[in-house]
Amino acid sequence: PAPVVPVWRRRGPVLSCMAYATMAGAQILYDELFPLYARGCLGWRSPKIGTFLACGGSAVFFGAFVAPRCLRACGGRQRFAFSIANSLNLPLGLALPALASWYSLFFLFFATRIVQTVAFTAVMLMVNSSTPVSEVGAVNGLGQSMAASMRAAGPLLGGTIWSGALALARGADHPDATCP
């Protein structure tokens, strides 16, 4: 019999798990930075930020209905759906800071959450289809471990980015700046 290569040494499972970990890291980074932005740049208080995030969380419910339709429209090609969702996710996320009204921010935030739901669905399908059924548990374990590492590093990275941006913004001209 041919030697068995461990899951963590095969290209397909490792790449799909890396895609999942990258998605998890990007989402936690975004979740870390948005409340800081809302408080520091928009002057929102905690109740308003909490209400906004709670209402935006309902997008996951809608995403649960959108994701299967998107995946069917992509003909079951998870990589294609994942790529499309992420190509939409980046511009939506980058556009958020340019908007200041609650309603325009909420519309983009809601859309971003739906797109993230589609992307997470697609990437989990990629992870699960990257290996034979007998090894799905090992691949899921690898993916969850990698994603957990990224989720742990996200707040550290988000806080560092925010602090660095504030330090640059404060300079000599604006020592009290709360918005980079």
Side-chain angles (χ1 to χ4, degrees), residues 126-144:
M126 282 175 24
V127 167
N128 288 329
S129 65
S130 69
T131 192
V133 175
S134 62
E135 297 175 337
V136 168
V139 173
N140 275 324
L142 176 64
Q144 293 300 326

mmCIF file with all atom_site columns, all heavy atoms in Angstrom, residues 126-144:
data_model
loop_
_atom_site.group_PDB
_atom_site.id
_atom_site.type_symbol
_atom_site.label_atom_id
_atom_site.label_alt_id
_atom_site.label_comp_id
_atom_site.label_asym_id
_atom_site.label_entity_id
_atom_site.label_seq_id
_atom_site.pdbx_PDB_ins_code
_atom_site.Cartn_x
_atom_site.Cartn_y
_atom_site.Cartn_z
_atom_site.occupancy
_atom_site.B_iso_or_equiv
_atom_site.pdbx_formal_charge
_atom_site.auth_seq_id
_atom_site.auth_comp_id
_atom_site.auth_asym_id
_atom_site.auth_atom_id
_atom_site.pdbx_PDB_model_num
ATOM 1   N N   . MET A 1 126 ? -15.570 24.223 0.634  1.00 0.00 ? 126 MET A N   1
ATOM 2   C CA  . MET A 1 126 ? -14.248 23.940 0.081  1.00 0.00 ? 126 MET A CA  1
ATOM 3   C C   . MET A 1 126 ? -13.434 23.069 1.038  1.00 0.00 ? 126 MET A C   1
ATOM 4   O O   . MET A 1 126 ? -12.779 22.118 0.616  1.00 0.00 ? 126 MET A O   1
ATOM 5   C CB  . MET A 1 126 ? -13.483 25.246 -0.179 1.00 0.00 ? 126 MET A CB  1
ATOM 6   C CG  . MET A 1 126 ? -13.897 25.970 -1.417 1.00 0.00 ? 126 MET A CG  1
ATOM 7   S SD  . MET A 1 126 ? -13.129 27.587 -1.710 1.00 0.00 ? 126 MET A SD  1
ATOM 8   C CE  . MET A 1 126 ? -11.624 27.594 -0.835 1.00 0.00 ? 126 MET A CE  1
ATOM 9   N N   . VAL A 1 127 ? -13.468 23.410 2.312  1.00 0.00 ? 127 VAL A N   1
ATOM 10  C CA  . VAL A 1 127 ? -12.722 22.637 3.317  1.00 0.00 ? 127 VAL A CA  1
ATOM 11  C C   . VAL A 1 127 ? -13.215 21.196 3.324  1.00 0.00 ? 127 VAL A C   1
ATOM 12  O O   . VAL A 1 127 ? -12.420 20.257 3.284  1.00 0.00 ? 127 VAL A O   1
ATOM 13  C CB  . VAL A 1 127 ? -12.852 23.277 4.715  1.00 0.00 ? 127 VAL A CB  1
ATOM 14  C CG1 . VAL A 1 127 ? -12.356 22.347 5.813  1.00 0.00 ? 127 VAL A CG1 1
ATOM 15  C CG2 . VAL A 1 127 ? -12.096 24.603 4.775  1.00 0.00 ? 127 VAL A CG2 1
ATOM 16  N N   . ASN A 1 128 ? -14.520 21.021 3.365  1.00 0.00 ? 128 ASN A N   1
ATOM 17  C CA  . ASN A 1 128 ? -15.089 19.668 3.458  1.00 0.00 ? 128 ASN A CA  1
ATOM 18  C C   . ASN A 1 128 ? -14.920 18.847 2.183  1.00 0.00 ? 128 ASN A C   1
ATOM 19  O O   . ASN A 1 128 ? -14.890 17.624 2.235  1.00 0.00 ? 128 ASN A O   1
ATOM 20  C CB  . ASN A 1 128 ? -16.555 19.727 3.860  1.00 0.00 ? 128 ASN A CB  1
ATOM 21  C CG  . ASN A 1 128 ? -16.715 20.121 5.309  1.00 0.00 ? 128 ASN A CG  1
ATOM 22  O OD1 . ASN A 1 128 ? -15.870 19.821 6.148  1.00 0.00 ? 128 ASN A OD1 1
ATOM 23  N ND2 . ASN A 1 128 ? -17.794 20.804 5.611  1.00 0.00 ? 128 ASN A ND2 1
ATOM 24  N N   . SER A 1 129 ? -14.822 19.497 1.037  1.00 0.00 ? 129 SER A N   1
ATOM 25  C CA  . SER A 1 129 ? -14.674 18.747 -0.210 1.00 0.00 ? 129 SER A CA  1
ATOM 26  C C   . SER A 1 129 ? -13.209 18.589 -0.622 1.00 0.00 ? 129 SER A C   1
ATOM 27  O O   . SER A 1 129 ? -12.924 18.034 -1.673 1.00 0.00 ? 129 SER A O   1
ATOM 28  C CB  . SER A 1 129 ? -15.478 19.408 -1.328 1.00 0.00 ? 129 SER A CB  1
ATOM 29  O OG  . SER A 1 129 ? -14.947 20.688 -1.619 1.00 0.00 ? 129 SER A OG  1
ATOM 30  N N   . SER A 1 130 ? -12.282 19.058 0.207  1.00 0.00 ? 130 SER A N   1
ATOM 31  C CA  . SER A 1 130 ? -10.863 18.990 -0.147 1.00 0.00 ? 130 SER A CA  1
ATOM 32  C C   . SER A 1 130 ? -10.228 17.641 0.193  1.00 0.00 ? 130 SER A C   1
ATOM 33  O O   . SER A 1 130 ? -9.042  17.439 -0.075 1.00 0.00 ? 130 SER A O   1
ATOM 34  C CB  . SER A 1 130 ? -10.087 20.104 0.561  1.00 0.00 ? 130 SER A CB  1
ATOM 35  O OG  . SER A 1 130 ? -10.034 19.858 1.954  1.00 0.00 ? 130 SER A OG  1
ATOM 36  N N   . THR A 1 131 ? -10.997 16.738 0.777  1.00 0.00 ? 131 THR A N   1
ATOM 37  C CA  . THR A 1 131 ? -10.434 15.470 1.238  1.00 0.00 ? 131 THR A CA  1
ATOM 38  C C   . THR A 1 131 ? -11.509 14.388 1.185  1.00 0.00 ? 131 THR A C   1
ATOM 39  O O   . THR A 1 131 ? -12.696 14.696 1.143  1.00 0.00 ? 131 THR A O   1
ATOM 40  C CB  . THR A 1 131 ? -9.894  15.647 2.675  1.00 0.00 ? 131 THR A CB  1
ATOM 41  O OG1 . THR A 1 131 ? -9.110  14.528 3.040  1.00 0.00 ? 131 THR A OG1 1
ATOM 42  C CG2 . THR A 1 131 ? -10.989 15.863 3.669  1.00 0.00 ? 131 THR A CG2 1
ATOM 43  N N   . PRO A 1 132 ? -11.105 13.132 1.212  1.00 0.00 ? 132 PRO A N   1
ATOM 44  C CA  . PRO A 1 132 ? -12.109 12.059 1.260  1.00 0.00 ? 132 PRO A CA  1
ATOM 45  C C   . PRO A 1 132 ? -12.937 12.134 2.551  1.00 0.00 ? 132 PRO A C   1
ATOM 46  O O   . PRO A 1 132 ? -12.482 12.666 3.567  1.00 0.00 ? 132 PRO A O   1
ATOM 47  C CB  . PRO A 1 132 ? -11.266 10.775 1.252  1.00 0.00 ? 132 PRO A CB  1
ATOM 48  C CG  . PRO A 1 132 ? -9.929  11.171 0.747  1.00 0.00 ? 132 PRO A CG  1
ATOM 49  C CD  . PRO A 1 132 ? -9.746  12.608 1.095  1.00 0.00 ? 132 PRO A CD  1
ATOM 50  N N   . VAL A 1 133 ? -14.132 11.588 2.503  1.00 0.00 ? 133 VAL A N   1
ATOM 51  C CA  . VAL A 1 133 ? -15.060 11.631 3.631  1.00 0.00 ? 133 VAL A CA  1
ATOM 52  C C   . VAL A 1 133 ? -14.423 11.064 4.900  1.00 0.00 ? 133 VAL A C   1
ATOM 53  O O   . VAL A 1 133 ? -14.665 11.553 5.999  1.00 0.00 ? 133 VAL A O   1
ATOM 54  C CB  . VAL A 1 133 ? -16.372 10.884 3.284  1.00 0.00 ? 133 VAL A CB  1
ATOM 55  C CG1 . VAL A 1 133 ? -17.297 10.814 4.472  1.00 0.00 ? 133 VAL A CG1 1
ATOM 56  C CG2 . VAL A 1 133 ? -17.057 11.549 2.111  1.00 0.00 ? 133 VAL A CG2 1
ATOM 57  N N   . SER A 1 134 ? -13.577 10.080 4.755  1.00 0.00 ? 134 SER A N   1
ATOM 58  C CA  . SER A 1 134 ? -12.963 9.444  5.934  1.00 0.00 ? 134 SER A CA  1
ATOM 59  C C   . SER A 1 134 ? -12.011 10.374 6.684  1.00 0.00 ? 134 SER A C   1
ATOM 60  O O   . SER A 1 134 ? -11.667 10.117 7.832  1.00 0.00 ? 134 SER A O   1
ATOM 61  C CB  . SER A 1 134 ? -12.210 8.190  5.513  1.00 0.00 ? 134 SER A CB  1
ATOM 62  O OG  . SER A 1 134 ? -11.158 8.523  4.618  1.00 0.00 ? 134 SER A OG  1
ATOM 63  N N   . GLU A 1 135 ? -11.603 11.493 6.057  1.00 0.00 ? 135 GLU A N   1
ATOM 64  C CA  . GLU A 1 135 ? -10.653 12.407 6.690  1.00 0.00 ? 135 GLU A CA  1
ATOM 65  C C   . GLU A 1 135 ? -11.238 13.792 6.950  1.00 0.00 ? 135 GLU A C   1
ATOM 66  O O   . GLU A 1 135 ? -10.505 14.712 7.301  1.00 0.00 ? 135 GLU A O   1
ATOM 67  C CB  . GLU A 1 135 ? -9.409  12.540 5.818  1.00 0.00 ? 135 GLU A CB  1
ATOM 68  C CG  . GLU A 1 135 ? -8.662  11.231 5.665  1.00 0.00 ? 135 GLU A CG  1
ATOM 69  C CD  . GLU A 1 135 ? -7.498  11.347 4.709  1.00 0.00 ? 135 GLU A CD  1
ATOM 70  O OE1 . GLU A 1 135 ? -7.505  12.252 3.849  1.00 0.00 ? 135 GLU A OE1 1
ATOM 71  O OE2 . GLU A 1 135 ? -6.586  10.527 4.816  1.00 0.00 ? 135 GLU A OE2 1
ATOM 72  N N   . VAL A 1 136 ? -12.540 13.957 6.752  1.00 0.00 ? 136 VAL A N   1
ATOM 73  C CA  . VAL A 1 136 ? -13.169 15.263 6.928  1.00 0.00 ? 136 VAL A CA  1
ATOM 74  C C   . VAL A 1 136 ? -12.983 15.782 8.355  1.00 0.00 ? 136 VAL A C   1
ATOM 75  O O   . VAL A 1 136 ? -12.739 16.979 8.561  1.00 0.00 ? 136 VAL A O   1
ATOM 76  C CB  . VAL A 1 136 ? -14.672 15.219 6.534  1.00 0.00 ? 136 VAL A CB  1
ATOM 77  C CG1 . VAL A 1 136 ? -15.406 16.464 6.979  1.00 0.00 ? 136 VAL A CG1 1
ATOM 78  C CG2 . VAL A 1 136 ? -14.800 15.050 5.037  1.00 0.00 ? 136 VAL A CG2 1
ATOM 79  N N   . GLY A 1 137 ? -13.049 14.923 9.334  1.00 0.00 ? 137 GLY A N   1
ATOM 80  C CA  . GLY A 1 137 ? -12.868 15.351 10.722 1.00 0.00 ? 137 GLY A CA  1
ATOM 81  C C   . GLY A 1 137 ? -11.493 15.947 10.960 1.00 0.00 ? 137 GLY A C   1
ATOM 82  O O   . GLY A 1 137 ? -11.359 16.978 11.632 1.00 0.00 ? 137 GLY A O   1
ATOM 83  N N   . ALA A 1 138 ? -10.462 15.326 10.405 1.00 0.00 ? 138 ALA A N   1
ATOM 84  C CA  . ALA A 1 138 ? -9.101  15.840 10.563 1.00 0.00 ? 138 ALA A CA  1
ATOM 85  C C   . ALA A 1 138 ? -8.939  17.187 9.856  1.00 0.00 ? 138 ALA A C   1
ATOM 86  O O   . ALA A 1 138 ? -8.311  18.102 10.395 1.00 0.00 ? 138 ALA A O   1
ATOM 87  C CB  . ALA A 1 138 ? -8.091  14.831 10.013 1.00 0.00 ? 138 ALA A CB  1
ATOM 88  N N   . VAL A 1 139 ? -9.520  17.319 8.671  1.00 0.00 ? 139 VAL A N   1
ATOM 89  C CA  . VAL A 1 139 ? -9.423  18.581 7.936  1.00 0.00 ? 139 VAL A CA  1
ATOM 90  C C   . VAL A 1 139 ? -10.202 19.681 8.656  1.00 0.00 ? 139 VAL A C   1
ATOM 91  O O   . VAL A 1 139 ? -9.731  20.820 8.762  1.00 0.00 ? 139 VAL A O   1
ATOM 92  C CB  . VAL A 1 139 ? -9.907  18.416 6.477  1.00 0.00 ? 139 VAL A CB  1
ATOM 93  C CG1 . VAL A 1 139 ? -9.976  19.751 5.764  1.00 0.00 ? 139 VAL A CG1 1
ATOM 94  C CG2 . VAL A 1 139 ? -8.991  17.474 5.737  1.00 0.00 ? 139 VAL A CG2 1
ATOM 95  N N   . ASN A 1 140 ? -11.394 19.346 9.154  1.00 0.00 ? 140 ASN A N   1
ATOM 96  C CA  . ASN A 1 140 ? -12.149 20.342 9.920  1.00 0.00 ? 140 ASN A CA  1
ATOM 97  C C   . ASN A 1 140 ? -11.386 20.758 11.171 1.00 0.00 ? 140 ASN A C   1
ATOM 98  O O   . ASN A 1 140 ? -11.384 21.938 11.536 1.00 0.00 ? 140 ASN A O   1
ATOM 99  C CB  . ASN A 1 140 ? -13.532 19.806 10.302 1.00 0.00 ? 140 ASN A CB  1
ATOM 100 C CG  . ASN A 1 140 ? -14.535 20.015 9.209  1.00 0.00 ? 140 ASN A CG  1
ATOM 101 O OD1 . ASN A 1 140 ? -14.506 21.025 8.518  1.00 0.00 ? 140 ASN A OD1 1
ATOM 102 N ND2 . ASN A 1 140 ? -15.427 19.059 9.026  1.00 0.00 ? 140 ASN A ND2 1
ATOM 103 N N   . GLY A 1 141 ? -10.742 19.807 11.837 1.00 0.00 ? 141 GLY A N   1
ATOM 104 C CA  . GLY A 1 141 ? -9.934  20.136 13.010 1.00 0.00 ? 141 GLY A CA  1
ATOM 105 C C   . GLY A 1 141 ? -8.792  21.072 12.663 1.00 0.00 ? 141 GLY A C   1
ATOM 106 O O   . GLY A 1 141 ? -8.525  22.041 13.383 1.00 0.00 ? 141 GLY A O   1
ATOM 107 N N   . LEU A 1 142 ? -8.124  20.805 11.541 1.00 0.00 ? 142 LEU A N   1
ATOM 108 C CA  . LEU A 1 142 ? -7.046  21.681 11.084 1.00 0.00 ? 142 LEU A CA  1
ATOM 109 C C   . LEU A 1 142 ? -7.584  23.075 10.768 1.00 0.00 ? 142 LEU A C   1
ATOM 110 O O   . LEU A 1 142 ? -7.012  24.092 11.190 1.00 0.00 ? 142 LEU A O   1
ATOM 111 C CB  . LEU A 1 142 ? -6.367  21.076 9.848  1.00 0.00 ? 142 LEU A CB  1
ATOM 112 C CG  . LEU A 1 142 ? -5.271  21.912 9.196  1.00 0.00 ? 142 LEU A CG  1
ATOM 113 C CD1 . LEU A 1 142 ? -4.095  22.089 10.147 1.00 0.00 ? 142 LEU A CD1 1
ATOM 114 C CD2 . LEU A 1 142 ? -4.825  21.263 7.880  1.00 0.00 ? 142 LEU A CD2 1
ATOM 115 N N   . GLY A 1 143 ? -8.699  23.121 10.045 1.00 0.00 ? 143 GLY A N   1
ATOM 116 C CA  . GLY A 1 143 ? -9.295  24.411 9.681  1.00 0.00 ? 143 GLY A CA  1
ATOM 117 C C   . GLY A 1 143 ? -9.733  25.202 10.899 1.00 0.00 ? 143 GLY A C   1
ATOM 118 O O   . GLY A 1 143 ? -9.492  26.410 10.989 1.00 0.00 ? 143 GLY A O   1
ATOM 119 N N   . GLN A 1 144 ? -10.369 24.536 11.860 1.00 0.00 ? 144 GLN A N   1
ATOM 120 C CA  . GLN A 1 144 ? -10.822 25.230 13.072 1.00 0.00 ? 144 GLN A CA  1
ATOM 121 C C   . GLN A 1 144 ? -9.634  25.731 13.894 1.00 0.00 ? 144 GLN A C   1
ATOM 122 O O   . GLN A 1 144 ? -9.688  26.819 14.471 1.00 0.00 ? 144 GLN A O   1
ATOM 123 C CB  . GLN A 1 144 ? -11.705 24.314 13.916 1.00 0.00 ? 144 GLN A CB  1
ATOM 124 C CG  . GLN A 1 144 ? -13.032 23.966 13.287 1.00 0.00 ? 144 GLN A CG  1
ATOM 125 C CD  . GLN A 1 144 ? -13.898 25.181 13.010 1.00 0.00 ? 144 GLN A CD  1
ATOM 126 O OE1 . GLN A 1 144 ? -13.885 26.160 13.741 1.00 0.00 ? 144 GLN A OE1 1
ATOM 127 N NE2 . GLN A 1 144 ? -14.655 25.126 11.930 1.00 0.00 ? 144 GLN A NE2 1
#
